[in-house]
Amino acid sequence: MNTNNNINNNKTISVLMFPWLGYGHITPYLELAKKLCTRNFVIYLCSTPATLACIEKKINEKLSQFITLVPLFLPVLPNLPIDFHTTNGLPHHLMPVLKEAFDLSAPNFADILAKIKPDLLIYDFLQPWAPLAAKDQNIPAVEFITSSSTMTSFMFHYFKNPSIEFPFSKIYFRDYESNNKKRLLDCASNPKEKERASLGVNRSCNIVLIKGSRDIEGKYIDYVTSLVGKKFVAVGPLVQQPDPNDQGYDIISWLDKKERRSTVFVSFGSEYFLTKQDIDEIAYGLELSNVNFIWVIRFPKDENGSNGKTLAKTLPLGFLERVGNRGKVVEGWAPQAKILGHVNIGGFVSHCGWNSVLESMNFGVPIIAVPMHLDQPINARLVEEIGVGVEVLRDGNTKIRRGTLSDVIKRVVIEDAGELVRKTAADIKDRLREGGDKETDEVVKELAKLCGKI
Ligand code: UDX
């Protein structure tokens, strides 16, 4: 491998990358790997065999010269299905058992490091034990955080200064607490869980990579740098690009026939499952808005691969007939990057997962923010602060309201009142793209310094 003429072998840097399994983690690692490959790096990407099988499909022949896939075998645990996979997202309920399996795989991982002897380890913040294995073998380890800097600085602040509100406007402790009760209870009852967020970072080298751009999150990057005492370096938006293999979807040909900027894309990421109440309110909200839509709905699967839920049984009675050709509902998975990049998309009804936010900005699509949990409420506030979207406020902080959703969709996509949001979203697209290359150059410089290669 690695016979490409662009690479000066004296300065080639070998990196072992170790992402967490979720789709929203794998994608940025792979996009970072692609960028590093064009700048004298060779990459070893370590994950479970099932995950690597999904990644392999996304790596073309040219890239496979620079990226070697390295399987990590997890211990067999009673509650861990053998065939969990990441093609259409990681089942959220498996998180605890997967974390346990990964923690127990530390000796296997140490063997992999010893065999490959990379110049550098880049690991996910959900695997805080990984830098210990690297330290034992004198390999520098850099943490790569795939959340927003806004969320990351908020979390460090929250645990460090629990009695002082976050010093940036419009982001309050209650935004996080009301949506993460279970997680906070876990932290209170299990100090290990609380430590998890900061353990890895404390064990890593003096720089931390973070997904995003200084242009949109500069003040949060500076704040987290000051809180943690390590330099946070933005790696750029690293959004997944439309996959040419996705052409077969009939929704794209349906979308081709709509008018420019006339249609909203509605999706809640790869992990969250909508409740029946969410589905009702969203359906009626879309119906009331009179705006075209593509809506992707995922159902949780049981051991047999299905739990008996179907679109026909779940959507409000007569909904599909009433909206007719104005809307498309897709079960399972849709080619999000391809859809957001389509000129006929005029808005994105999104849960504000960080990948989705950056993808929307990357394609200049304004966001109708419907955050559900985790970091999403914080990201939604950032979307409003930057001016690229509008949050759909809930009734008493609990329920999405169809009328509010419909009003925000109309404002963002068609009404004069949404002109500024549409323009800001269109402008940010160019700014993000211009900044991306500079950010990659900065990352390369920092990593090369760490490995003593410049
Ligand atoms: C998770 C958390 O839920 C989120 O809060 C956190 O910010 C990141 O990790 P997820 O819910 O999957 O992520 O959302 P998101 O970060 O938006 O990532 C979803 C990815 O899956 C995007 O790259 C999106 O393009 C892709 N996707 C999702 C599809 O391509 N098709 C789909 O149908 C759904």
Side-chain angles (χ1 to χ4, degrees):
M1 66 180 283
N2 308 333
T3 50
N4 187 298
N5 294 335
N6 294 330
I7 290 191
N8 169 347
N9 280 321
N10 292 330
K11 291 204 172 170
T12 297
I13 298 174
S14 61
V15 180
L16 181 73
M17 284 190 165
F18 189 34
W20 176 245
L21 293 180
Y23 196 90
H25 294 246
I26 302 277
T27 304
Y29 271 78
L30 194 55
E31 293 302 322
L32 179 61
K34 286 184 194 169
K35 285 189 183 275
L36 294 180
C37 283
T38 62
R39 290 164 164 90
N40 285 6
F41 283 71
V42 291
I43 307 292
Y44 296 87
L45 198 60
C46 179
S47 193
T48 64
T51 310
L52 293 181
C54 303
I55 295 177
E56 200 169 10
K57 293 188 198 128
K58 294 173 181 260
I59 299 180
N60 62 26
E61 208 176 300
K62 191 165 162 236
L63 270 177
S64 65
Q65 285 184 289
F66 305 108
I67 302 182
T68 305
L69 303 180
V70 183
L72 173 73
F73 293 93
L74 297 184
V76 178
L77 295 180
N79 298 329
L80 185 64
I82 296 171
D83 64 341
F84 69 86
H85 59 89
T86 59
T87 334
N88 292 354
L90 187 66
H92 206 68
H93 67 280
L94 288 181
M95 279 291 271
V97 64
L98 277 169
K99 276 189 195 164
E100 191 191 340
F102 266 84
D103 289 355
L104 290 171
S105 71
N108 296 355
F109 182 73
D111 287 347
I112 289 173
L113 269 179
K115 206 166 140 210
I116 295 177
K117 294 191 179 53
D119 295 316
L120 183 71
L121 167 69
I122 299 183
Y123 69 93
D124 198 291
F125 66 110
L126 288 176
Q127 276 131 206
W129 47 266
L132 282 184
K135 199 171 174 202
D136 286 347
Q137 300 181 39
N138 286 324
I139 297 167
V142 174
E143 182 155 322
F144 175 22
I145 299 181
T146 53
S147 311
S148 64
S149 298
T150 311
M151 172 65 183
T152 307
S153 59
F154 179 88
M155 285 301 295
F156 277 104
H157 173 93
Y158 184 91
F159 286 120
K160 225 171 168 171
N161 311 295
S163 55
I164 309 166
E165 277 287 356
F166 193 55
F168 297 97
S169 60
K170 285 200 165 180
I171 299 178
Y172 304 106
F173 284 174
R174 66 167 181 269
D175 296 326
Y176 183 73
E177 285 164 347
S178 60
N179 291 282
N180 290 282
K181 289 196 183 93
K182 187 178 168 317
R183 172 138 201 252
L184 290 171
L185 279 176
D186 286 351
C187 288
S189 61
N190 179 357
K192 244 184 145 184
E193 198 52 37
K194 180 175 166 185
E195 266 180 18
R196 195 170 188 106
S198 58
L199 258 187
V201 126
N202 291 335
R203 292 167 175 169
S204 71
C205 292
N206 274 336
I207 66 159
V208 179
L209 305 182
I210 191 148
K211 179 177 151 108
S213 155
R214 273 206 79 80
D215 190 357
I216 54 174
E217 288 194 289
K219 68 182 179 200
Y220 299 105
I221 294 174
D222 292 341
Y223 186 52
V224 72
T225 295
S226 72
L227 283 175
V228 178
K230 297 195 180 212
K231 184 177 176 187
F232 278 65
V233 182
V235 293
L238 296 182
V239 298
Q240 67 164 337
Q241 296 305 312
D243 182 345
N245 302 323
D246 279 343
Q247 264 158 9
Y249 286 83
D250 71 340
I251 24 181
I252 299 294
S253 40
W254 177 87
L255 187 56
D256 286 341
K257 298 190 194 85
K258 299 294 169 207
E259 282 171 27
R260 207 178 153 82
R261 302 270 171 239
S262 67
T263 304
V264 287
F265 177 55
V266 187
S267 170
F268 295 85
S270 69
E271 292 178 7
Y272 183 77
F273 295 111
L274 294 171
T275 63
K276 173 73 181 123
Q277 192 183 51
D278 294 335
I279 290 179
D280 279 351
E281 294 304 313
I282 293 166
Y284 286 117
L286 290 169
E287 196 177 334
L288 278 171
S289 75
N290 248 333
V291 169
N292 304 332
F293 63 87
I294 296 171
W295 179 10
V296 52
I297 303 183
R298 297 167 52 252
F299 295 122
K301 305 260 186 261
D302 61 20
E303 283 106 55
N304 306 318
S306 146
N307 67 357
K309 283 192 177 171
T310 60
L311 288 178
K313 280 192 211 161
T314 315
L315 290 167
L317 203 64
F319 169 75
L320 288 174
E321 292 73 19
R322 289 196 298 278
V323 294
N325 195 37
R326 184 162 76 69
K328 269 264 184 215
V329 183
V330 181
E331 188 187 333
W333 197 252
Q336 179 165 310
K338 203 171 173 82
I339 293 173
L340 290 176
H342 198 291
V343 287
N344 296 345
I345 288 293
F348 182 13
V349 179
S350 169
H351 69 320
C352 294
W354 188 227
N355 294 286
S356 291
V357 168
L358 288 172
E359 281 163 25
S360 209
M361 288 193 208
N362 178 64
F363 292 111
V365 176
I367 297 172
I368 295 111
V370 186
M372 292 301 181
H373 64 162
L374 303 173
D375 54 340
Q376 298 151 19
I378 314 274
N379 295 342
R381 294 295 149 90
L382 176 70
V383 160
E384 284 217 326
E385 184 184 300
I386 301 170
V388 293
V390 178
E391 186 174 345
V392 178
L393 294 177
R394 285 161 186 264
D395 176 31
N397 229 355
T398 54
K399 202 173 159 195
I400 308 167
R401 285 285 181 199
R402 60 191 75 178
T404 322
L405 175 61
S406 155
D407 287 349
V408 178
I409 292 176
K410 283 189 287 191
R411 177 154 30 121
V412 168
V413 182
I414 41 182
E415 291 173 355
D416 288 349
E419 186 58 41
L420 182 60
V421 171
R422 294 193 287 275
K423 185 175 175 330
T424 310
D427 291 347
I428 209 119
K429 168 173 124 184
D430 301 326
R431 274 170 42 196
L432 273 187
R433 289 186 183 181
E434 275 164 28
D437 278 345
K438 274 192 231 132
E439 273 155 347
T440 312
D441 289 342
E442 166 82 6
V443 171
V444 167
K445 211 171 77 199
E446 293 286 354
L447 298 183
K449 255 197 271 171
L450 263 184
C451 310
K453 297 269 179 168
I454 49 173

